[in-house]
Each structure stands twice: as structure tokens, then as C-alpha cells.
């Protein structure tokens, strides 16, 4: 019998990793420095997180707490711009697909996860501050901890270790793996305020994000009638905050965004203002030896889209599934580490790309200021993105498209998303309904369908059509299963969907056959007896630059690229 898996940190990443391993029948010891769940920021979740927790058996516990139901995220984004709403409404092909998220007090939410882990059989050691990790100790790991109650040293052997220590990043800091983000150099100041306005329509429960000259404001409704309200500004404001005090600085920021005072009473802050600095970073490696970095210990980026808890829970599942597989297949360590790093980094990168486009768009519709001028992609030589996979993919297209046009299309991805969710009125009002967005969505889908149907010939742009091995996490039993991805001769891969030899043969046939969109979709559908993903596969291959379509006059057909990220819609990564 192997030693237990050791998990350091009892936040969402650590608890979900523990629950995943227990689902797979593995023994787990979870070590947490605090003696009880502590206050944390990060109160707004995404639907994909609910989906994971549902499949781990936690929904009854969650429903009992009466958390605020979050149907969407709403943005007052840009001077003189109408609000727009990113709705979570989606078809639900499975009962564990969610069309909403929740707004939580993290201390309560994290305590709920911890209780669930304990009830699942996890050996939880609260009040144990880990001091060192030997993550390659022979055939296992060795963790040393100091027991807070009596200062005694505890030495624990384990089979593997998950570092879920959050921003403390125990292993990343020890090994010098953390790389701070040069683009999102921000800090946040926040407090809690009582609500003075109750939205009763489709904005009830939404998170608001509101721009102002120095940055933007978040507003998260919580179940006791208060809002979490914070200002995200550039790190250059640190000296002013120190001189004036957090609360005075925060109040000025909130009053600079007029919508804030119409929703909460700014004269009645409910706590001491808090601050956090320089939170955007990623680790050069996200796993090594017998160690996996999960959640904020591995990476975090700007919190605009409330993705932090989702990345934590998703990576917790990844880490648990990876370790479960390695316990039975230790000879596959290199393959599993390569998959874990690529899969987690891809999810992180999608958010990073979305936010870079979103900020660049805002910089064009906001008055010039230090904050907004710094948050604009400054051409394809912008060194702030030198280590970002999405930026490498973008610059790789420069040989085919003019740089200015390429950057314009990149920024317009956000503009197009915003236009689909833009309200008919310039103010926040209960008159807003999801239904008023339906016509725009139908129009957008119609235009996309017409463009796809206009394609009469496809070109596979990267030479060879290959299949490369990968892993996917089974959505129900959370086991790691071997799959294949399609790749081309230029090293590009379509990461989203697993592919088969039959898919490869269909795509390889494009080199010697003239095949249009409808015929390609039909052939891909026949290549797989699972759910019909043929249209989505074609679109993803076009977005990856691996397929190019031409109309009947042999002119290129442009398919508008979408900004993609996990945790929303009907196709979760897990």
C-alpha cells in the first residue's frame, strides 16, 4: 500500500484535489497552516465551478447556504458606452451543465469544501504550517511541517504532493519558478457596503464591472444585502494610497464611477479597507517530479472575469486525476507532466488572452490615462507577452496578415463580444432582459453559418496531418484517460477536442480532394459515433490557423475568431 497523497493548502484547489483523489479511492492527508477557514477575496464564481462541485456531490451543501445566484456578468465598460451583459444562459445537454454561478463569502464557501473533504475521508490537519517539501524523495515525497498548537515538527512521507498554497506558492518560490506579469501590474483596494438598490429583473445577482479614469470597479452582491466593492488600479498608485490611507483612496475611486453610488451607500463602509498588490504571475513549470502546483500557487491573472476559483478547482481535478494515474503508471511521468503543464497553461492562457483583448478595447473608449494606456497591446514586439502561448500564436500569423490588421482583429474580438451583449439603454435598469439580446445572437449565428456554408474548398495549412497523444479527464469518474489531438507539421495543435484516426484521414484527404464546409462536416460526423461536434471541430481548426476556407471564386472566407475560455457555456474542459 502506497503512502498517502499529501496536499498543502485547504482552499478550493486543495480541497477539490483531495475530493478527486478520494473519488478515485486514494488516501489523502491535507495540511493547512490556519486553524480554521480564513477570510479571502475571490467571491464571484463561474458556472463551470458549480458543475465540478455538482459531480463531486456537493450541490446539496451549496444549495443549503443560500448563496446569491449569479446569472451573468455586467460591464459598464468605456466612457459613454451602453452597459453590456455576458449571460451564462446556455443549452443544458447534461444536468451538470449550469446556466448560472454563485456569489459567496469565501470563508463560508471554503469551510463548506473542507467539510466535504473531511466527510469524504480526507485526513485533515489544520494548524500545520509546512516548512519544506522534498518532492523527489526516492519513491515518494517528504513534507516537514510545524504544528501551530505546540510548535512541534511533524515529518510526513507521501507518494505525491499537491502545492495548493495559493499566492504563497511554497514550491514555486523555493525553486524560483514564479514569473510576474508585466502587463497586469495592478493592485486592488476594497471594502463592503450595504445595498441601496435591489435589481429585480435579469440583473438580479449579476456582478458589475465599471470603468473609471484610474481603472475599474467590481461590485459583487452577497447574501446579507451587502456588496463587495473594489477598485483595480495601477501599482503606481501605491505611494498615494500609503499617504492618504486605503479608505480615502478607495472612496475617491468609487465616486469617480457614478453608477457605484446608485447601487450602494458609500457613506457606510462595513469593514476596514483591504489591499492586495501584484497578483498576476505564472510558474515556469507547473509540475515536476512528484509535485503538482494547483490553483494560485501555479498562476493567477487579472480578476476581471472572476476566473480565479474556477482555475483553482479545475487544476485541483487535473492534479488529482494525474496523481491517480501515476500511482498505477509511474513510468508515464514525463507524459503526464507534459499534459498537466500544457492543459493548465492553456486554460490560464485563454483568460490572459481574453483580458488583453478586453483591456485593449477599453483603452480605445476611455479617456487617456496612465492605467488605460499601459493596458493596450503595443504591437507584435510587445515584450510583456514574451512568455505567453497565446501571443506566440498571434505573432505566428503575422506572415500572412499585416500587423496592424492583425492587432485590429484581435481587439475587435472583444468589441464583437460586447456588441452581442450590449443593452438597448445607456443606464442600468430593471427593464433589461436576456430576451433583448436574442435577436443579436440569432443574427450573429446566421452570419457565421452563411460564411461557413460559403466555403467550397478547404486548405490544410500546415503540411502533415498528425495525431499526438494527450490525456483528458473523464467528466464523471474523474479518471485520466488517454486520447489524441490533431496536429500539423508546424507544431500547432487543436487542443479542445480529442480526435481519432478516422478524423485524421478525413483531414488528410483535403490535400487531394476539393471539399466544402457541408461535406467536411458530414465526413467528420461519420468519423465519430459520439456527440456531433463536427461543426465545432471545423471552427476550432480555423481559429487555430490549421484550416483555411475559400469560396466558389477561390477567395478566402473570413471566419471571425472568438475569445475562448473555460468555465462558461456547455463545453467545459472537465
Amino acid at each position: 500500500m502506497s503512502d498517502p497523497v499529501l496536499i498543502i493548502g485547504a482552499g478550493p484547489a486543495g480541497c477539490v484535489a483531495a475530493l478527486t483523489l478520494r473519488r478515485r479511492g486514494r488516501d489523502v492527508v491535507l495540511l493547512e497552516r490556519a486553524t480554521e477557514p480564513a477570510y479571502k477575496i475571490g467571491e464571484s464564481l463561474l458556472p463551470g465551478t458549480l458543475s465540478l462541485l455538482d459531480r463531486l456531490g456537493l450541490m446539496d451543501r451549496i444549495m443549503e447556504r443560500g448563496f446569491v445566484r449569479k446569472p451573468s456578468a455586467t460591464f459598464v465598460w468605456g466612457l459613454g458606452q451602453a452597459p453590456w451583459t455576458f449571460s451564462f444562459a446556455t443549452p443544458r445537454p447534461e444536468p451538470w451543465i449550469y446556466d448560472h454561478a454563485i456569489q459567496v463569502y469565501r470563508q463560508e464557501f471554503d469551510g463548506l469544501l473542507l467539510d466535504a473533504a473531511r466527510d469524504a475521508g480526507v485526513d485533515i490537519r489544520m494548524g500545520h504550517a509546512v516548512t519544506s517539501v522534498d518532492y523527489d524523495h526516492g519513491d515518494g515525497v517528504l513534507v516537514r511541517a510545524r504544528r501551530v498548537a505546540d510548535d512541534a515538527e511533524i515529518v510526513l512521507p507521501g507518494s505525491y504532493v499537491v502545492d495548493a498554497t495559493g499566492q504563497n506558492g511554497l514550491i514555486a518560490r523555493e525553486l524560483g519558478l514564479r514569473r510576474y506579469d508585466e502587463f497586469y501590474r495592478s493592485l486592488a483596494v476594497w471594502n463592503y457596503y450595504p445595498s441601496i438598490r435591489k435589481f429585480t429583473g435579469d440583473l438580479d445577482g449579476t456582478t458589475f464591472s465599471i470603468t473609471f479614469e484610474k481603472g475599474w470597479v467590481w461590485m459583487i452582491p452577497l447574501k446579507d444585502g451587502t456588496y463587495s466593492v473594489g477598485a483595480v488600479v495601477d501599482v503606481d498608485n501605491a505611494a498615494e494610497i500609503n499617504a492618504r490611507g486605503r479608505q480615502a483612496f478607495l472612496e475617491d475611486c468609487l465616486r469617480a464611477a457614478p453608477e457605484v453610488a446608485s447601487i450602494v451607500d458609500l457613506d457606510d463602509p462595513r469593514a476596514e479597507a483591504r489591499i492586495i498588490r501584484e497578483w498576476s504571475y505564472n510558474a515556469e513549470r507547473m509540475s515536476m517530479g512528484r509535485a503538482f502546483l494547483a490553483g494560485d500557487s501555479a498562476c493567477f491573472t487579472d480578476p476581471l472575469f472572476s476566473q480565479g476559483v474556477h482555475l483553482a478547482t479545475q487544476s485541483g481535478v487535473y492534479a488529482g486525476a494525474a496523481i491517480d494515474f501515476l500511482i498505477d503508471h509511474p513510468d508515464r511521468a514525463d507524459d503526464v507532466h507534459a499534459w498537466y503543464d500544457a492543459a493548465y497553461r492553456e486554460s490560464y492562457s485563454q483568460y490572459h488572452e481574453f483580458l488583453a483583448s478586453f483591456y485593449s478595447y477599453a483603452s480605445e473608449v476611455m479617456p487617456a490615462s496612465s492605467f488605460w494606456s499601459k493596458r493596450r497591446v503595443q504591437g507584435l514586439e510587445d515584450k510583456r507577452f514574451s512568455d505567453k502561448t497565446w501571443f506566440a500564436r498571434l505573432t505566428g500569423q503575422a506572415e500572412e496578415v499585416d500587423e496592424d490588421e492583425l492587432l485590429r482583429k484581435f481587439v475587435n474580438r472583444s468589441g464583437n463580444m460586447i456588441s452581442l451583449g450590449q443593452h438597448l439603454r445607456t443606464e442600468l435598469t430593471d427593464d433589461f432582459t436576456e430576451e433583448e439580446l436574442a435577436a443579436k445572437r440569432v443574427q450573429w449565428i446566421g452570419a457565421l453559418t452563411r460564411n461557413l456554408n460559403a466555403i467550397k474548398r478547404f486548405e490544410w495549412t500546415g503540411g502533415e496531418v498528425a495525431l499526438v497523444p494527450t490525456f483528458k479527464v473523464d467528466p464523471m469518474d474523474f479518471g485520466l484517460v488517454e486520447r489524441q489531438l490533431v496536429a500539423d507539421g508546424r507544431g500547432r495543435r487543436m487542443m479542445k477536442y480529442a480526435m481519432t484516426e478516422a478524423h485524421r484521414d478525413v483531414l488528410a484527404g483535403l490535400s487531394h480532394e476539393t471539399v466544402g464546409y457541408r461535406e467536411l462536416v458530414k465526413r467528420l460526423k461519420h468519423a465519430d459515433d459520439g456527440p456531433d461536434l463536427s461543426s465545432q471541430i471545423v471552427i476550432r481548426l480555423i481559429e487555430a490557423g490549421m484550416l483555411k476556407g475559400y469560396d466558389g471564386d477561390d477567395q478566402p472566407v473570413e471566419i471571425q475568431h472568438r475569445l475562448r475560455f473555460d468555465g462558461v457555456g456547455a463545453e467545459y474542459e472537465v
Side-chain angles (χ1 to χ4, degrees):
M1 184 175 181
S2 65
D3 288 326
V5 178
L6 305 181
I7 297 176
I8 310 169
C15 287
V16 168
L19 286 164
T20 300
L21 284 159
R22 289 301 300 146
R23 172 68 65 89
R24 301 296 301 166
R26 306 300 184 180
D27 292 331
V28 180
V29 175
L30 190 155
L31 303 163
E32 167 57 48
R33 177 179 56 186
T35 56
E36 60 184 17
Y39 172 87
K40 292 177 187 174
I41 195 64
E43 297 132 328
S44 194
L45 309 189
L46 293 179
T49 305
L50 285 191
S51 176
L52 288 175
L53 299 180
D54 182 326
R55 285 173 280 152
L56 287 169
L58 273 67
M59 280 312 295
D60 286 345
R61 297 172 187 261
I62 290 171
M63 294 299 293
E64 288 172 358
R65 300 303 181 103
F67 294 125
V68 171
R69 186 182 191 274
K70 175 187 176 184
S72 59
T74 297
F75 301 82
V76 183
W77 204 251
L79 186 67
Q81 305 293 304
W84 73 280
T85 291
F86 186 100
S87 170
F88 297 151
T90 184
R92 299 188 65 189
E94 301 288 350
W96 41 266
I97 301 295
Y98 276 79
D99 60 1
H100 67 279
I102 53 176
Q103 319 275 26
V104 303
Y105 277 112
R106 281 291 304 279
Q107 190 168 6
E108 179 182 9
F109 178 74
D110 290 7
L112 179 156
L113 299 180
L114 191 63
D115 289 343
R118 183 181 291 108
D119 292 346
V122 177
D123 179 358
I124 295 173
R125 314 277 183 93
M126 302 296 288
H128 283 64
V130 172
T131 55
S132 68
V133 179
D134 183 348
Y135 61 87
D136 221 355
H137 185 75
D139 292 331
V141 299
L142 200 66
V143 168
R144 298 180 184 275
R146 179 180 57 81
R147 192 163 56 204
V148 174
D150 57 7
D151 208 34
E153 183 180 59
I154 309 297
V155 180
L156 289 172
S159 56
Y160 290 85
V161 64
V162 177
D163 180 351
T165 56
Q167 294 203 354
N168 290 330
L170 183 67
I171 291 176
R173 289 182 185 275
E174 181 179 325
L175 299 181
L177 299 176
R178 183 163 289 183
R179 303 177 296 192
Y180 282 91
D181 200 311
E182 292 300 315
F183 187 70
Y184 303 113
R185 297 199 64 226
S186 303
L187 62 82
V189 188
W190 73 95
N191 209 325
Y192 297 83
Y193 297 87
S195 171
I196 57 173
R197 180 180 181 185
K198 171 66 175 173
F199 290 91
T200 58
D202 286 347
L203 295 182
D204 182 20
T206 194
T207 293
F208 294 107
S209 299
I210 305 168
T211 54
F212 69 108
E213 181 185 357
K214 286 187 173 182
W216 62 274
V217 172
W218 79 69
M219 302 189 72
I220 301 170
L222 300 167
K223 67 181 184 178
D224 61 358
T226 63
Y227 272 78
S228 168
V229 187
V232 175
V233 298
D234 195 81
V235 291
D236 287 350
N237 290 277
E240 181 183 350
I241 294 170
N242 289 336
R244 298 184 56 209
R246 298 172 185 175
Q247 186 59 42
F249 178 85
L250 174 61
E251 184 170 330
D252 280 357
C253 291
L254 301 185
R255 294 193 186 280
E259 296 83 2
V260 176
S262 73
I263 298 172
V264 298
D265 183 357
L266 291 178
D267 294 325
D268 189 15
R270 295 299 174 89
E272 294 293 322
R274 299 172 184 262
I275 190 169
I276 186 171
R277 298 176 174 87
E278 294 276 33
W279 58 71
S280 295
Y281 54 82
N282 70 96
E284 187 175 341
R285 288 180 289 156
M286 295 187 176
S287 66
M288 69 291 293
R290 289 176 171 265
F292 290 80
L293 280 58
D296 294 358
S297 70
C299 58
F300 191 77
T301 191
D302 192 276
L304 177 63
F305 206 66
S306 307
Q307 71 277 2
V309 174
H310 185 70
L311 283 173
T313 54
Q314 182 172 301
S315 62
V317 170
Y318 282 169
I323 290 169
D324 170 67
F325 183 89
L326 285 175
I327 289 173
D328 293 333
H329 307 280
D331 58 313
R332 301 294 302 280
D334 288 347
D335 296 334
V336 172
H337 283 304
W339 164 78
Y340 183 84
D341 191 276
Y344 192 8
R345 201 173 298 279
E346 176 69 12
S347 292
Y348 160 79
S349 183
Q350 286 176 355
Y351 286 111
H352 199 284
E353 178 181 13
F354 161 69
L355 292 164
S357 175
F358 205 58
Y359 273 118
S360 294
Y361 174 86
S363 73
E364 297 181 355
V365 294
M366 286 295 294
S369 72
S370 174
F371 182 90
W372 294 109
S373 63
K374 291 178 181 179
R375 282 152 186 82
R376 179 186 303 135
V377 177
Q378 306 284 354
L380 299 184
E381 300 298 322
D382 197 327
K383 301 300 184 184
R384 295 174 296 177
F385 303 104
S386 60
D387 65 337
K388 298 298 181 289
T389 55
W390 69 264
F391 196 68
R393 288 195 293 263
L394 182 69
T395 56
Q397 300 171 37
E399 62 190 53
E400 303 172 6
V401 182
D402 175 77
E403 178 176 338
D404 290 341
E405 181 184 356
L406 194 61
L407 289 173
R408 172 52 42 203
K409 288 180 177 179
F410 173 72
V411 174
N412 281 346
R413 293 186 206 174
S414 287
N416 293 327
M417 175 187 288
I418 288 170
S419 67
L420 288 174
Q422 204 140 42
H423 298 194
L424 300 179
R425 291 154 294 275
T426 57
E427 69 280 352
L428 294 172
T429 170
D430 280 331
D431 293 335
F432 167 77
T433 68
E434 290 282 347
E435 293 177 1
E436 70 186 54
L437 307 180
K440 295 181 182 180
R441 292 170 182 160
V442 169
Q443 186 178 23
W444 181 83
I445 292 171
L448 174 63
T449 302
R450 286 191 299 274
N451 286 343
L452 288 169
N453 285 330
I455 297 175
K456 305 306 179 186
R457 177 178 72 86
F458 277 105
E459 174 191 359
W460 183 261
T461 64
E464 179 188 10
V465 182
L467 292 176
V468 294
T470 189
F471 297 93
K472 293 285 184 180
V473 178
D474 185 277
M476 298 312 298
D477 70 16
F478 294 94
L480 201 63
V481 292
E482 297 188 66
R483 293 289 185 264
Q484 298 178 105
L485 299 175
V486 68
D488 66 13
R490 296 169 61 179
R492 296 175 297 193
R493 302 180 179 187
M494 192 271 285
M495 300 288 290
K496 180 64 178 177
Y497 301 113
M499 305 286 272
T500 65
E501 287 288 349
H503 289 114
R504 193 204 70 82
D505 291 344
V506 169
L507 296 171
L510 299 177
S511 64
H512 56 268
E513 287 188 80
T514 300
V515 179
Y517 171 71
R518 291 180 179 177
E519 178 62 23
L520 180 57
V521 164
K522 183 167 69 174
R523 294 184 185 188
L524 289 171
K525 182 178 180 180
H526 290 159
D528 192 347
D529 57 5
D532 182 13
L533 300 172
S534 52
S535 181
Q536 293 96 311
I537 288 171
V538 171
I539 292 170
R540 295 277 185 157
L541 289 170
I542 292 172
E543 291 177 347
M546 299 163 76
L547 272 185
K548 184 179 289 186
Y550 298 85
D551 64 17
D553 296 324
D554 217 32
Q555 296 300 306
V557 177
E558 184 170 335
I559 302 299
Q560 191 177 87
H561 290 200
R562 296 175 61 189
L563 290 166
R564 307 280 189 174
F565 37 85
D566 294 329
V568 296
E571 292 185 326
Y572 306 134
E573 190 56 36
V574 178

